[in-house]
Amino acid sequence: MALDQSFVGRTYPPTPAYEVGREKIREFAEAVGDGHPAYVDVEAARALGHPDVIAPPTFVFSITYRAAGEVVQDPQLGLDYSRVVHGDQKFSYVRPVRAGDRLTVTSTIEAIKSLAGNDIVDIRGDVHDEAGELVVTALTKLVARAAEEA
């Protein structure tokens, strides 16, 4: 059954603040194989104009995807998560994420489509810092695959 279009535009409350740590940035950069010095060396980051080490561009996925979980688990929406695959991901940065940031994410359902029996949900995650300034917007596309015919 197709998802209810009336959910388009629904915004969920901001997540609790996530404090970005230097060690988490280092671990993430290492895990994705990105050896840029600004991710691990404060002086290298400062030489590029940043007050502390910065995170690789995809680092924020871990907190925006967790925030999107509130949308996915909304029982009123009725999305069958057992059938969900991650369809696409895009980021639009105002500034890099940096160590010491305390970030919250507000998720909004941007679009709901049905295509060949599959439900497609686009979720926008607006990531704000402690001052309320927008840092990055993440756009996540989730696809709930159609149930196979018996």
Side-chain angles (χ1 to χ4, degrees):
M1 183 160 98
L3 297 176
D4 185 347
Q5 288 290 318
S6 72
F7 278 77
V8 173
R10 181 175 284 195
T11 298
Y12 293 78
T15 61
Y18 173 87
E19 186 164 348
V20 179
R22 287 180 184 166
E23 184 63 12
K24 287 290 185 187
I25 292 173
R26 184 197 64 74
E27 289 171 350
F28 186 88
E30 186 177 285
V32 298
D34 193 334
H36 194 290
Y39 303 151
V40 295
D41 182 341
V42 175
E43 292 308 314
R46 287 184 179 147
L48 294 171
H50 304 292
D52 207 324
V53 295
I54 59 172
T58 55
F59 177 87
V60 75
F61 175 78
S62 61
I63 63 171
T64 58
Y65 193 71
R66 190 174 336 153
E70 188 172 347
V71 175
V72 168
Q73 295 172 9
D74 183 339
Q76 294 178 332
L77 178 60
L79 186 67
D80 181 359
Y81 190 70
S82 71
R83 307 202 64 75
V84 169
V85 294
H86 186 233
D88 193 19
Q89 187 71 51
K90 295 179 183 173
F91 302 100
S92 178
Y93 275 86
V94 174
R95 69 160 173 86
V97 170
R98 43 190 187 228
D101 277 340
R102 290 181 48 81
L103 304 175
T104 59
V105 183
T106 303
S107 296
T108 301
I109 298 175
E110 288 284 291
I112 295 174
K113 295 179 264 198
S114 185
L115 183 62
N118 299 312
D119 288 318
I120 302 167
V121 181
D122 293 329
I123 303 168
R124 185 184 79 232
D126 292 316
V127 181
H128 293 88
D129 63 16
E130 207 167 19
E133 297 293 320
L134 181 65
V135 175
V136 58
T137 296
L139 300 172
T140 303
K141 184 179 296 290
L142 301 177
V143 179
R145 296 168 293 131
E148 293 180 18
E149 297 292 326

